[in-house]
Amino acid sequence: MVESFTRQSSAIFLPNERGIRPPLKWAGGKRWLVSHVKPIYERYQKQRLVEPFCGGLAVTLGLLPDKAILNDINPHAINFYNWLKRGLMIAIEMNNDEISYYRNREKFNQLILAGAQDSRAAAELFYYLNRTGYNGLCRFNKKGLFNVPFGKYKNINYKRDFRDYKNAFFDWHFTLGDFELLDVTAKDFIYADPPYDVEFTQYAQEGFNWEDQERLARWLASHRGQVVVSNQATERIISLYEKHKFQIEILDAPRMISCTGDRTKAKEILAYRNI
Ligand SMILES: C[S@@+](CC[C@H](N)C(=O)[O-])C[C@H]1O[C@@H](n2cnc3c(N)ncnc32)[C@H](O)[C@@H]1O
């Protein structure tokens, strides 16, 4: 990491050693898991961290590895991070009103159609849409166009100057694609946070189905270095990782099992190998 990157000099650090503030909102963000993964990773801090499903970077920015490979299948998040690496300053106007929102959504979709989704303009618009759209969702229609509606937030604190992230991201490499295409070595520490296994619904989360969960467990089990994986603690996920000889810990997630008044905490699995 470069020398000028100190906790004192940067406004992006969270209080109480909780790492750096994630720049995007992200469904399934695992900030609450940092306190469980950090004591494990600290023993291997010199090793490169590989996150095949980096999403909103909540865990990476909590662990603050010196070296990392951060991968996701979402091209817009990866493009945004690559622009943060270059020290992004957002130039576009950012207004929290419906007319501006739909105008910017249209501009973003025009960039996608023109094949310019890795442009700086796309990165700026993606940040604006992520902050201003409904629940920070990232959803696309069948044509691949962003279709999240306006979020109706009262107040939004837009950030323009992302230069602080440049130092943190100095030795982090962002890659785009399916997890299995990652080039890992036996010295890498993998933390994997795939889309949740949802046992009883017809639709897999983010197109990640049961075969993908099995493919992931096999890929992780073949890694000769350290592996930590989190997921929803469904019965079949527990058996899958038991079958691949992972050690298993079940945690209470900070969310409830249902939104219908049932106060039971949802269960999350942390599974480890070679730790
Ligand atoms: C639960 S989220 C990760 C959240 C992240 N740990 C955080 O704290 O913000 C799962 C991520 O997996 C990505 N994803 C889905 N299928 C994938 C695949 N086949 N390969 C790589 N990434 C994938 C999604 O885009 C999503 O960002």
Side-chain angles (χ1 to χ4, degrees):
M1 214 172 288
V2 290
E3 269 170 36
S4 59
F5 181 42
T6 64
R7 281 166 192 268
Q8 288 73 30
S9 70
S10 180
I12 56 177
F13 278 101
L14 293 161
N16 306 328
E17 304 280 314
R18 286 192 300 128
I20 290 180
R21 197 178 299 283
L24 296 172
K25 293 186 189 176
W26 207 258
K30 293 295 180 327
R31 174 104 63 90
W32 70 276
L33 268 180
V34 171
S35 60
H36 295 271
V37 181
K38 200 171 177 176
I40 306 169
Y41 182 61
E42 269 169 358
R43 284 155 41 204
Y44 304 96
Q45 188 87 35
K46 292 268 171 290
Q47 286 169 225
R48 185 168 71 166
L49 175 74
V50 175
E51 264 206 71
F53 308 89
C54 70
L57 296 185
V59 175
T60 330
L61 291 170
L63 300 181
L64 291 178
D66 285 347
K67 286 181 191 302
I69 295 193
L70 305 168
N71 176 79
D72 203 278
I73 209 157
N74 185 312
H76 309 292
I78 296 299
N79 180 48
F80 178 70
Y81 300 144
N82 274 326
W83 281 97
L84 293 197
K85 247 177 105 82
R86 294 179 221 181
L88 182 68
M89 296 265 280
I90 293 192
I92 57 165
E93 260 191 53
M94 293 191 279
N95 296 315
N96 181 20
D97 67 74
E98 206 161 343
I99 294 179
S100 311
Y101 179 77
Y102 286 108
R103 196 181 295 140
N104 279 331
R105 195 177 82 168
E106 178 56 24
K107 281 188 194 163
F108 183 66
N109 283 331
Q110 286 304 324
L111 289 173
I112 295 178
L113 288 171
Q117 63 185 24
D118 55 358
S119 60
R120 178 190 177 129
E124 295 190 8
L125 287 164
F126 184 65
Y127 171 75
Y128 167 81
L129 297 172
N130 176 267
R131 286 278 131 176
T132 322
Y134 185 75
N135 265 351
L137 288 178
C138 189
R139 200 184 60 193
F140 298 85
N141 64 18
K142 284 200 179 107
K143 290 184 189 152
L145 301 180
F146 188 82
N147 66 0
V148 175
F150 179 57
K152 298 187 186 157
Y153 292 104
K154 251 193 184 158
N155 295 306
I156 301 177
N157 283 327
Y158 294 108
K159 188 172 169 70
R160 287 196 169 276
D161 183 351
F162 288 91
R163 285 175 300 177
D164 280 349
Y165 285 86
K166 189 174 169 179
N167 286 335
F169 285 18
F170 175 72
D171 231 347
W172 297 0
H173 297 277
F174 293 93
T175 59
L176 171 66
D178 180 65
F179 66 87
E180 220 173 347
L181 300 173
L182 277 170
D183 199 5
V184 289
T185 76
K187 289 187 183 150
D188 290 326
F189 181 111
I190 300 184
Y191 167 64
D193 180 33
Y196 275 152
D197 172 41
V198 187
E199 221 165 357
F200 302 113
T201 58
Q202 207 175 341
Y203 303 105
Q205 293 258 42
E206 300 163 77
F208 202 84
N209 60 26
W210 180 246
E211 282 71 41
D212 294 316
Q213 298 285 0
E214 290 184 313
R215 185 167 66 89
L216 173 65
R218 277 196 303 276
W219 184 73
L220 292 174
S222 71
H223 181 58
R224 286 189 284 132
Q226 295 76 29
V227 181
V228 177
V229 53
S230 46
N231 206 319
Q232 178 136 269
T234 59
E235 277 181 26
R236 61 185 184 174
I237 281 287
I238 296 172
S239 337
L240 178 65
Y241 284 98
E242 274 174 354
K243 185 178 95 187
H244 285 292
K245 310 264 181 294
F246 281 65
Q247 269 171 270
I248 287 175
E249 195 180 336
I250 307 286
L251 304 169
D252 277 336
R255 60 200 159 80
M256 299 300 156
I257 207 155
S258 75
C259 45
T260 54
D262 182 342
R263 310 294 297 161
T264 315
K265 290 252 173 90
K267 300 283 180 207
E268 191 98 1
I269 182 175
L270 259 195
Y272 320 85
R273 253 180 84 95
N274 304 330
I275 299 288

